[in-house]
Amino acid sequence: MTDPVELMLPPQPEFVGTARIFAAAIGRHFGVDEEVVADLKVAISEACTGAIWAHNQEGIADPIVIRVFPDLPSLNVEVESKAGQAPAEGVEWEPVTPSDTFHPLLGGGLIRTLFPDAEFIENGGLTVRFSVPR
Amino acid sequence: MTDPVELMLPPQPEFVGTARIFAAAIGRHFGVDEEVVADLKVAISEACTGAIWAHNQEGIADPIVIRVFPDLPSLNVEVESKAGQAPAEGVEWEPVTPSDTFHPLLGGGLIRTLFPDAEFIENGGLTVRFSVPR
Amino acid sequence: MSDFSVDARSDGDWVVVTAAGDIDVYTAPRLKRALTEEIDRGHHHIVLDMTKVRFMDSTGLAVMVGGLKKVKAKKGTLELVGPNDQIRRILTITDLVKILPVHDSVEDACRGKTT
Amino acid sequence: MSDFSVDARSDGDWVVVTAAGDIDVYTAPRLKRALTEEIDRGHHHIVLDMTKVRFMDSTGLAVMVGGLKKVKAKKGTLELVGPNDQIRRILTITDLVKILPVHDSVEDACRGKTT
Ligand SMILES: Nc1ncnc2c1ncn2[C@@H]1O[C@H](COP(=O)(O)OP(=O)(O)O)[C@@H](O)[C@H]1O
Ligand SMILES: Nc1ncnc2c1ncn2[C@@H]1O[C@H](COP(=O)(O)OP(=O)(O)O)[C@@H](O)[C@H]1O
């Protein structure tokens, strides 16, 4: 794989916008179509939101790392965090009556729908990985 | 110091724009005035340019790391690379007849003028450090 | 980061809530609070003007589903105005378009409401 | 990243070079090439329209100083139009304003040139 461009963020809600601005800039730079850039912003936002939520639940403060590998024919994107669990298999999107502003299932399902090759790897934390056509 | 927000880039010219977009977003997020954001973009651009140039000269490919520590009353900004040398002391800006598009002195002098507390630390590479009032 | 503002104008039991900027994990709680306040004030017909929202993710969907449940319990409504393509896309993917009517303008949305 | 474009319209021995976007280590070589080409074609009076340049750093300054040297060797000129505040600031800090005249519009710059 190629050298990644990497963004590291504290697991706090205020940084999710930084993650999107980064993803959009990198996506465009590598020639990702504008509609796919829009999907990429959503997927990155969801992955970070899930990670922030999990860090908060588990009371840990390790950073979230976003890596973009400028591979061909697709960028490989990875959001790695030290907290979190893979959404159950088969769950596409479940409009669970969310009691609060976030339910981790929503985000995972959206990522899977937008990027069908998305993988959720539990490795003492959670790494979300998907590829983005360019 | 607080937990940093960090961006890691391959030492290639095409990523200097990513560095600026990152710096601008983070600066604004932490309440840096718009004029100072403009200076921050210049300083980050200069530090990365110097690092890219030095990596290229020395033929090494280690990433450039930009860290922003959201401290008070100033953000602490750090651009760390595995290549490069501190500009000579006292050099403010020298309109050396540049033979090419970049002369490392220009950038270092500009950073010093924009952020007078800028430090250039040689540590088997070069770390440029300065603080940005917020 | 994630610029966001929210603002409401009410008339009888209905209200136009205007959101602007990004709706995400950082800002969704503010949208939620705004909707809850309006509902608590007895405004059970909510028109959410999203014309100026540039980004929304599932945190915003969750707020809307939550708001919809509350207004429905009072026989009210929650309708959307002017979501951009990105937002329409996630409303469609999640099938929420089926329960959250989408209008092109506040006038269109209110027309339905006042008749 | 770093969107950039450059374009030239010439008339006799003078030329208006219009740059747009970001001038940095990635794009400055393209500006340099454009200026060099014009000079090689005998256009020794260059008006560089920067109205649409949103960012420039020292790599751009170096290109300008290089260009200025080349046109001066031919008794030519290099003048700037419409740099934004950020660019004016670095031109001032580096004292380059003293050798690179700045105009508000291409008309102003050309007026000086054609008389
Ligand atoms: N300071 C900021 N400026 C621009 N975008 C930001 C900022 N902070 C967070 N963002 C988010 O990053 C995304 C960048 O996406 P992009 O497509 O480049 O911009 P836009 O949506 O404004 O066209 C925005 O949609 C927004 O959600
Ligand atoms: N895709 C991009 N979108 C926006 N800015 C970019 C992009 N790539 C690189 N940049 C650089 O990042 C800087 C971001 O600065 P900012 O002040 O947020 O935007 P602007 O200068 O457009 O108002 C820009 O000045 C530009 O030099």
Side-chain angles (χ1 to χ4, degrees), chain C residues 5-6 21 34-35 37-38 47 52 54-58 66 69 73 79 89 101 104 106 113-114:
Chain C
S5 69
V6 59
L35 293 182
E37 274 175 27
E38 294 306 322
V47 172
K52 291 185 184 144
R54 71 172 162 180
F55 176 84
M56 188 174 88
D57 63 19
S58 69
K69 280 178 57 189
E79 314 206 344
R89 182 157 161 78
D104 285 338
V106 172
K113 196 113 302 107
T114 47

Side-chain angles (χ1 to χ4, degrees), chain A residues 25, chain B residues 17-18 20-21 24 28 34 41, chain D residues 1-2 22 54-55:
Chain B
T18 310
R20 285 197 304 276
I21 211 176
R28 281 191 196 109
E34 207 52 38
K41 287 191 284 185
Chain D
M1 211 69 38
S2 307
D22 297 340
R54 69 172 164 182
F55 177 84

Side-chain angles (χ1 to χ4, degrees), chain B:
Chain B
M1 287 216 275
T2 49
D3 288 338
V5 187
E6 199 172 302
L7 178 67
M8 205 177 286
L9 301 163
Q12 290 155 22
E14 56 262 49
F15 295 114
V16 75
T18 310
R20 285 197 304 276
I21 211 176
F22 168 78
I26 292 293
R28 281 191 196 109
H29 175 66
F30 289 113
V32 173
D33 283 349
E34 207 52 38
E35 303 94 79
V36 182
V37 167
D39 290 350
L40 174 59
K41 287 191 284 185
V42 175
I44 289 287
S45 209
E46 299 299 347
C48 289
T49 300
I52 290 165
W53 191 84
H55 276 77
N56 197 47
Q57 289 289 101
E58 301 179 21
I60 59 176
D62 303 63
I64 300 169
V65 186
I66 305 173
R67 288 189 195 90
V68 178
F69 297 87
D71 301 320
L72 283 166
S74 295
L75 303 180
N76 282 298
V77 176
E78 191 169 287
V79 179
E80 186 184 306
S81 64
K82 291 281 169 287
Q85 283 171 4
E89 275 303 326
V91 174
E92 276 299 304
W93 192 79
E94 235 189 299
V96 279
T97 53
S99 60
D100 206 320
T101 48
F102 179 70
H103 188 291
L105 281 184
L106 310 185
L110 262 182
I111 296 171
R112 272 202 190 126
T113 310
L114 296 172
F115 296 98
D117 72 352
E119 295 175 276
F120 296 80
I121 303 146
E122 292 181 4
N123 48 2
L126 181 65
T127 298
V128 182
R129 202 174 274 160
F130 54 92
S131 70
V132 180
R134 49 192 285 208

Side-chain angles (χ1 to χ4, degrees), chain A residues 17 20-21 24 28 41, chain C residues 1-2 22 54-55:
Chain A
R20 285 196 304 275
I21 211 176
R28 281 191 196 108
K41 288 192 284 187
Chain C
M1 212 67 40
S2 306
D22 298 340
R54 71 172 162 180
F55 176 84

Side-chain angles (χ1 to χ4, degrees), chain A:
Chain A
M1 287 214 274
T2 49
D3 288 338
V5 187
E6 197 173 303
L7 178 67
M8 205 177 286
L9 300 163
Q12 291 154 22
E14 55 262 49
F15 295 115
V16 75
T18 310
R20 285 196 304 275
I21 211 176
F22 167 77
I26 292 294
R28 281 191 196 108
H29 176 65
F30 288 113
V32 173
D33 282 348
E34 206 53 38
E35 304 93 79
V36 183
V37 168
D39 290 349
L40 174 60
K41 288 192 284 187
V42 175
I44 289 287
S45 210
E46 300 299 346
C48 289
T49 300
I52 291 165
W53 190 83
H55 276 78
N56 197 46
Q57 289 290 100
E58 301 179 20
I60 58 177
D62 302 64
I64 299 168
V65 186
I66 305 172
R67 288 188 196 90
V68 178
F69 297 87
D71 302 320
L72 282 167
S74 296
L75 303 180
N76 282 299
V77 176
E78 188 170 288
V79 179
E80 185 184 306
S81 66
K82 290 281 169 288
Q85 283 170 4
E89 275 305 326
V91 174
E92 275 299 302
W93 193 79
E94 234 189 299
V96 279
T97 53
S99 60
D100 207 318
T101 47
F102 178 71
H103 188 290
L105 281 184
L106 311 185
L110 263 180
I111 295 171
R112 272 201 192 128
T113 311
L114 297 172
F115 296 98
D117 72 352
E119 294 175 275
F120 296 80
I121 303 146
E122 292 183 5
N123 49 1
L126 182 67
T127 298
V128 182
R129 203 175 274 158
F130 55 91
S131 71
V132 180
R134 48 189 289 207

